[in-house]
Amino acid sequence: MNTSTRDDAAAISARGLYKAFGEKTVLDGIDLTVQQGTILALLGPNGAGKTTAVHLLTTYLRPDAGEVRVAGWDAAKHPQAVRRAIGVTGQFSAVDGYLTGRENLMLMADLHLLPKRVGRAKAAELLERFELGEAGDKPASTYSGGMKRKLDLAMTLVGDPKVIFLDEPTTGLDPRSRRTMWDIIRGLVASGTTLLLTTQYLEEADQLADRVAVLDGGRIVAEGTPAELKARIPGGHIELSFADRARLEAAASLLDPTGRDDDGLTLQLPGDARVSTLWPLLRRLNDASIEVEALTVHTPDLDDVFFALTGRKGA
């Protein structure tokens, strides 16, 4: 192997990625890095450039400027090597409804030039892995939406890709099917696969991603772990509930609440869920013999991050 063409520091690396269609700039010099065996979730409003970024990283489109390396290969110089190393599951299913699930998988095996025996074994393994064994010999047109998405992802895995791009993989799925897909995705990462995920579901990014990049106006406006991004957004607070007005008044006199609801018998205080925050608060109340009915910690979520950083609503 020619080591001069490889860079194993990251599974996906983009530097200064720029793409315009006519006079419209879609990506304006973005940088992205995804370490091996991790998930990066790419978030942004509709039209932010998420799908275009995926198309550039997967060699479907060529950037107007910038460098892309995937699985160590320079995408401009070695696009075929990149394609051999990746799998792509798009927003819309690539399943052929006229074929059975097994035949769809066998078709992918043929496209990957696998020997028939190897292809049959691979199809059988993936059908069982994705709990499609009983439906494997039925036309894919009879599958539910969740089954089709599972088959779609299974087809992506026929070539044993090192890096997988999932472009909104759970759009349109019911909550149960979505969580099944999450479990499958977690299993892939546990086995060492790298994933770049675009999604409209912020909870999905929070559940799955090691890191999140927020794309808006063709630029990356923030990047970090979900916890790091949520910590950047103000609004976290502690809410104390009391059984009666007397306890509410006593606590309000002792503490310095930022909010108060006399009807709901609650006080709001700045703070978070850290023990170093909660323990001194509870000790003060205990020393003053003030009984708290309930304590709730409210923290910003990725919805708050999304709205604060993109400046507009939508997904």
Side-chain angles (χ1 to χ4, degrees), residues 300-313:
D301 56 22
L302 282 185
D303 288 64
D304 299 311
V305 172
F306 184 90
F307 294 144
L309 294 178
T310 63
R312 51 180 172 172
K313 297 187 177 182

Side-chain angles (χ1 to χ4, degrees), residues 132-168:
L132 294 170
E134 293 185 4
D137 294 312
K138 297 178 181 177
S141 59
T142 65
Y143 288 13
S144 67
M147 292 169 68
K148 287 179 180 176
R149 287 309 267 168
K150 286 197 290 185
L151 178 58
D152 205 17
L153 183 52
M155 291 165 62
T156 299
L157 298 182
V158 169
D160 291 322
K162 298 177 182 178
V163 180
I164 297 178
F165 296 84
L166 300 178
D167 195 7
E168 301 185 9

Side-chain angles (χ1 to χ4, degrees), residues 72-138:
W73 295 102
D74 185 313
K77 297 177 181 177
H78 305 281
Q80 290 297 337
V82 170
R83 291 165 195 158
R84 285 193 294 268
I86 68 173
V88 182
T89 299
Q91 295 182 30
F92 306 103
S93 175
V95 171
D96 188 328
Y98 291 101
L99 302 179
T100 67
R102 191 181 310 277
E103 288 168 342
N104 271 282
L105 292 168
M106 288 295 296
L107 175 60
M108 291 303 298
D110 289 341
L111 292 174
H112 283 281
L113 304 179
L114 298 181
K116 287 292 184 185
R117 177 180 56 81
V118 175
R120 284 194 295 270
K122 191 72 175 178
E125 172 206 335
L126 289 168
L127 287 171
E128 291 304 316
R129 180 176 176 183
F130 284 79
E131 300 178 346
L132 294 170
E134 293 185 4
D137 294 312
K138 297 178 181 177

